[in-house]
Amino acid sequence: MKPCHPSVARKLLKSKNAAIFRQYPFTIVLKKEILDVVIEPIEIKIDPGSQTTGIALVQGDKVIFGAELSHRGSTIKDSLESRRSLRRGRRSRKTRYRQARFLNRKKPSCWLAPSLQHRVDTTLTWIKKLIKFAPIVGISQELVRFDLQQLENPEISGVEYQQGELVGYEVREYLLNKWDRKCSYCSIENVPLQVEHIHPKAKGGTNRISNLCLACESCNLKKGTKDINVFLAKKPDVLKRILSQAKRPLKDAVAVNSTRWTLFNALKNTGLPITTGSGGKTKFNRTRLNLPKQHWIDAACVGIVDTLKVLTNKPLLIKATGHGTRQSCRTDKYGFPSRYVPRFKFIKGFQTGDIVKAVVTKGKKIGTYVGRVAVRSIGSFNISSPNGLIQGISYKNCTHIHKKDGYSYAT
C-alpha cells in the first residue's frame, strides 16, 4: 500500500484501474497486482488532547495526511450522570426498586473514568485503522504537555540541552499555563510577562519551578528584591493565592496527562517503535517552522523535527458519535418508559447512521441524495443531506457509501 496524490487517484478511478475501498479515510485499491514497488515508510504522529486529538502521517519530511479526532467525553459524563440520577430517583420512590451497589466493586490499578478511557480507545482505534491502510513503521506521541523532569532538574539531559533555548521555552510554556497567562500580582492580561522569583535570588531563592511565577514589567520592578510577604502586606488575599498556587505540586500536571500514559502503554502493543516528545517541544518546532496552530499540525511537529513540507490543507475532521444505546426503551425526564425501541437495527440491509447515495428516477422526489439514513421498518427511509431532510426514500433506491462506524466526518 502506497499513498498517492489525489490527482493520481482520480485518474486511476476514471480509467477503472482502481476501485474505492473505503470512503473515510478515502482509500482506493488497484485491480491488478504490481510487483517490485518501492514504498517509502510512514510515521504516525499523535498530539493527544482532552477534546480533540491531532493525527498526522509523515513520510520523511512531508506531511501527507492529517486528521482531527473530536472526542465525546463530556457526552459520556452527562449520560452517566443522567443514569445515576434516574436510578437514585427510582430508589427514593415507591416504585420498582433497584438495589444500590457500593461494596461489590473493585477498580483495577490502571482504571480510568469512562470519559477518559473513551479518549484512549477511540485514538487507538484510529491508529490501528491507519496501520492497516498505510505502511507505518513507527509512532511518535506527545506524551506529556511539559517535560517535568527537565523542569525540576535541567542537567538531566546534558549541558547542551540545559544551555539551549528549548529548556527556557519549556519553562515559559509551563508557567504560562500554571498562572493562566496573567500577572501573578495584578492579574493583568495581554501584556508581555516576565519570569519572576517569588523568593528573591538575592535572599537565597532558587530557580526551581516552584519558586517561579509570572509578573508584568511594572510589578516586577516594584517588587525588586523585596520579600513577597512585605510586598503584598496590604493584599493578604493575593499573597495567600500566590503562595498556595506556587505550592501546587507537579503531580497536577501529571494527572492531566494520565490518558496519554495509558495510550502510550496501549500503543506498545502494536509492536511498532514509539518515540515521545513534550508539548513545549511541539510548540517550539511549530513556531520555528512558522506553521499555523491546528491540532493536526501540532501532531506533525511532535518529536524531533528539522523541516516539514505540508502537502495537504484539508484534514479529515472526525467526530466520535457513539454506536447508540443499549436501552430497550426510551424514558421520560422522570425515568419512566415512554416509547419502544426496535430490537432489530437492520432494515433491508441498512441501519440508522449509514451514509448512502439515493438515486430517485421517478415520482415527486426525483434527484440524487447523499447523506445519513434513518431507517424505518416499512422500508421507506429518511436521508439527512447537506440540503436538508428528505423523507420517504425507498430502500430500493439506496446504495451504501460508508457503513455506520460510530463517527461523523467532514473535510
Side-chain angles (χ1 to χ4, degrees):
M1 292 176 285
K2 180 179 180 181
C4 66
H5 195 273
S7 62
V8 177
R10 283 193 293 269
K11 290 179 181 178
L12 290 172
L13 291 172
K14 189 174 181 180
S15 62
K16 297 185 179 180
N17 290 321
I20 296 176
F21 179 73
R22 188 179 179 87
Q23 194 73 24
Y24 302 103
F26 189 77
T27 311
I28 63 173
V29 57
L30 295 176
K31 293 185 177 181
K32 63 178 181 180
E33 184 179 6
I34 299 179
L35 303 175
D36 301 327
V37 178
V38 178
I39 300 177
E40 188 176 353
I42 298 173
E43 183 181 16
I44 293 182
K45 294 198 170 187
I46 314 167
D47 174 30
S50 59
Q51 301 296 329
T52 304
T53 292
I55 302 174
L57 296 186
V58 180
Q59 194 174 44
D61 63 346
K62 297 173 293 197
V63 183
I64 61 174
F65 174 81
E68 293 186 354
L69 174 60
S70 298
H71 304 294
R72 54 187 293 265
S74 58
T75 305
I76 292 174
K77 183 175 182 293
D78 293 341
S79 297
L80 291 175
E81 289 180 348
S82 174
R83 186 183 70 179
R84 181 178 61 181
S85 64
L86 292 176
R87 288 179 176 176
R88 287 186 175 181
R90 285 201 295 268
R91 294 187 194 112
S92 63
R93 294 192 303 264
K94 301 298 183 181
T95 56
R96 182 173 69 88
Y97 180 72
R98 187 184 186 103
Q99 187 176 3
R101 299 186 301 168
F102 298 114
L103 302 177
N104 62 343
R105 307 178 195 181
K106 185 177 181 181
K107 297 175 182 177
S109 58
C110 57
W111 179 86
L112 284 176
S115 57
L116 298 179
Q117 186 64 45
H118 153 80
R119 298 185 180 105
V120 176
D121 294 340
T122 51
T123 304
L124 189 61
T125 295
W126 273 92
I127 296 303
K128 290 180 178 179
K129 282 185 181 182
L130 294 173
I131 290 174
K132 188 188 301 183
F133 297 144
I136 306 298
V137 298
I139 302 174
S140 184
Q141 178 196 354
E142 185 182 292
L143 185 58
V144 292
R145 295 191 65 187
F146 306 100
D147 191 347
L148 303 183
Q149 203 171 24
Q150 183 67 41
L151 293 175
E152 285 298 284
N153 184 8
E155 298 178 357
I156 195 167
S157 297
V159 177
E160 293 81 4
Y161 192 97
Q162 177 191 1
Q163 294 178 349
E165 55 183 327
L166 180 58
V167 62
Y169 207 88
E170 201 86 48
V171 170
R172 285 193 295 272
E173 277 302 302
Y174 180 80
L175 291 175
L176 285 170
N177 278 266
K178 182 176 181 179
W179 297 95
D180 300 322
R181 300 180 182 271
K182 300 177 183 178
C183 174
S184 306
Y185 302 119
C186 66
S187 299
I188 191 172
E189 298 181 79
N190 302 319
V191 298
L193 299 173
Q194 301 173 356
V195 178
E196 153 72 7
H197 292 79
I198 298 173
H199 184 56
K201 287 192 69 176
K203 298 183 178 180
T206 67
N207 286 326
R208 289 182 66 86
I209 199 72
S210 56
N211 191 45
L212 299 179
C213 68
L214 294 175
C216 63
E217 184 176 10
S218 176
C219 291
N220 200 3
L221 292 175
K222 287 180 182 178
K223 180 174 181 294
T225 58
K226 296 180 183 177
D227 186 88
I228 190 171
N229 295 291
V230 176
F231 179 63
L232 296 176
K234 297 182 179 180
K235 299 180 179 179
D237 294 338
V238 177
L239 176 62
K240 182 180 178 180
R241 174 180 58 81
I242 291 177
L243 293 179
S244 62
Q245 193 166 350
K247 292 179 180 178
R248 190 173 62 187
L250 295 178
K251 68 179 181 181
D252 291 344
V254 177
V256 175
N257 296 323
S258 59
T259 55
R260 304 179 188 215
W261 280 104
T262 305
L263 177 61
F264 174 77
N265 294 326
L267 291 174
K268 286 182 178 179
N269 297 328
T270 61
L272 295 174
I274 303 176
T275 58
T276 61
S278 68
K281 190 171 185 179
T282 297
K283 184 175 180 181
F284 175 78
N285 291 333
R286 176 171 53 79
T287 306
R288 176 172 54 85
L289 298 173
N290 196 26
L291 294 173
K293 169 63 178 172
Q294 295 186 39
H295 295 287
W296 67 283
I297 293 291
D298 279 347
C301 295
V302 170
I304 300 174
V305 176
D306 295 326
T307 59
L308 277 180
K309 297 178 182 177
V310 182
L311 302 184
T312 179
N313 58 3
K314 286 188 177 182
L316 179 62
L317 305 180
I318 309 164
K319 182 178 180 180
T321 57
H323 291 275
T325 175
R326 297 188 181 92
Q327 287 181 330
S328 59
C329 64
R330 297 288 184 260
T331 59
D332 59 18
K333 63 180 181 179
Y334 301 107
F336 289 101
S338 61
R339 65 184 186 274
Y340 171 74
V341 177
R343 180 178 178 185
F344 299 102
K345 304 298 181 183
F346 286 88
I347 305 295
K348 307 297 183 180
F350 298 88
Q351 69 170 327
T352 298
D354 290 347
I355 301 177
V356 301
K357 179 180 180 180
V359 180
V360 183
T361 57
K362 58 183 179 179
K364 296 181 179 179
K365 298 183 176 68
I366 294 177
T368 301
Y369 310 101
V370 177
R372 290 195 179 268
V373 67
V375 302
R376 289 187 286 188
S377 58
I378 60 176
S380 180
F381 300 161
N382 297 340
I383 297 178
S384 299
S385 70
N387 298 323
L389 179 66
I390 299 93
Q391 299 182 350
I393 302 296
S394 173
Y395 74 93
K396 297 178 182 178
N397 299 323
C398 298
T399 56
H400 272 114
I401 290 180
H402 190 86
K403 293 188 177 181
K404 175 185 175 184
D405 57 0
Y407 301 93
S408 63
Y409 303 95
T411 55

